[in-house]
Amino acid sequence: MDDRVIQAFYYALGGVILGIAIAINWSYFIDTHTSSILIISITTLSSAISGFLFPNCIKGLFMVLWNFFK
């Protein structure tokens, strides 16, 4: 259980970085009226919850999203 909480914390930190990348791309190409804080917080929470519930599957999803926004 402790390992999953630690993994969820690490994925939450990664979610912050991924959320910043998504927010930047979102503001340039999709919609400038969406709150960047909302995008970052949703990405952080979803990464932490997914990292806790599915610790082995989230790494592949993270890499796909990172390569998509890179």
Side-chain angles (χ1 to χ4, degrees), residues 35-58:
S35 173
S36 297
I37 300 298
L38 182 64
I39 293 171
I40 294 169
S41 62
I42 288 173
T43 307
T44 303
L45 286 174
S46 63
S47 296
I49 291 170
S50 300
F52 183 76
L53 295 177
F54 310 108
N56 297 328
C57 299
I58 191 73

